[in-house]
Amino acid sequence: MLLTTGICIPVIGAYWIQFIEGEFPCPLCLLQRLAMLGVAIGAMMNLRFGVRTSHYAVTIFSAIFGAAVSARQILLHIAPGNPNGPGYGSPVFGWHLYTWGLVIFMATIGVVGLMMFYEKHFDLSTPASPRPMSKPVMAVCALVIFLTAANIFTTFLMCGLAPCPDSPEQYLLLSNI
């Protein structure tokens, strides 16, 4: 439950920056949010259906994808003579969100890798089936589902059905109203 809750915090922080600070996410930022939600969904599957290597695989592959996107964005902004300036968005505690994303994704890969060394919690003799959830687990699962729906909705508002703009400055679907 800790991994699922922990990965929701940066996504909520990104929404804070988007809605309260007024900074729109770029397409690479949106992909990093998607990867963080993939990490959360993989961890949530362990909560709902029991610990499985396939759930850890969802988490690890999502984190690898997110780390690749984060590294790509870091490399875009450290290139000499970058026309986009020193970075995209305001730094948080001295680092841009995509740098924090890379740290979070790499930490996730390390933590899940370490968790997989503990083989006693893998009971593959029983099929994966829904199991009863406590109220805190249901609340965390509801949070992941809400953040996923919010990500789909806000991305649709920003981009519509077309590719997202490189440096969005408005919600395209709301600008015509």
Side-chain angles (χ1 to χ4, degrees):
M1 190 165 106
L2 187 61
L3 177 62
T4 310
T5 307
I7 206 72
C8 288
I9 293 170
V11 176
I12 293 169
Y15 276 117
W16 176 274
I17 290 172
Q18 180 177 346
F19 293 115
I20 305 301
E21 304 291 326
E23 294 183 18
F24 288 88
C26 68
L28 291 174
C29 300
L30 294 172
L31 288 175
Q32 290 167 61
R33 285 184 191 180
L34 181 69
M36 285 199 184
L37 291 169
V39 168
I41 288 169
M44 185 178 76
M45 290 168 61
N46 272 342
L47 295 173
R48 181 69 178 122
F49 299 105
V51 178
R52 293 280 187 258
T53 55
S54 58
H55 303 161
Y56 281 132
V58 169
T59 301
I60 288 176
F61 283 127
S62 295
I64 290 170
F65 173 71
V69 173
S70 297
R72 165 82 168 121
Q73 192 165 9
I74 290 169
L75 292 174
L76 281 174
H77 292 290
I78 64 170
N82 180 9
N84 298 326
Y88 187 85
S90 302
V92 176
F93 301 117
W95 289 354
H96 290 281
L97 291 182
Y98 45 86
T99 307
W100 282 112
L102 180 62
V103 170
I104 290 166
F105 290 127
M106 296 306 292
T108 299
I109 293 167
V111 166
V112 172
L114 287 173
M115 289 167 50
M116 291 182 73
F117 275 121
Y118 185 67
E119 294 178 2
K120 290 183 182 179
H121 67 262
F122 292 108
D123 181 14
L124 302 178
S125 62
T126 60
S129 60
R131 58 188 200 181
M133 295 190 303
S134 65
K135 289 186 189 262
V137 170
M138 287 191 330
V140 168
C141 291
L143 177 62
V144 171
I145 292 167
F146 172 76
L147 289 174
T148 302
N151 193 52
I152 292 167
F153 181 71
T154 57
T155 302
F156 182 71
L157 284 179
M158 268 185 13
C159 308
L161 297 176
C164 292
D166 288 338
S167 296
E169 296 178 1
Q170 64 183 355
Y171 293 99
L172 292 178
L173 293 183
L174 297 179
S175 64
N176 298 332
I177 297 175

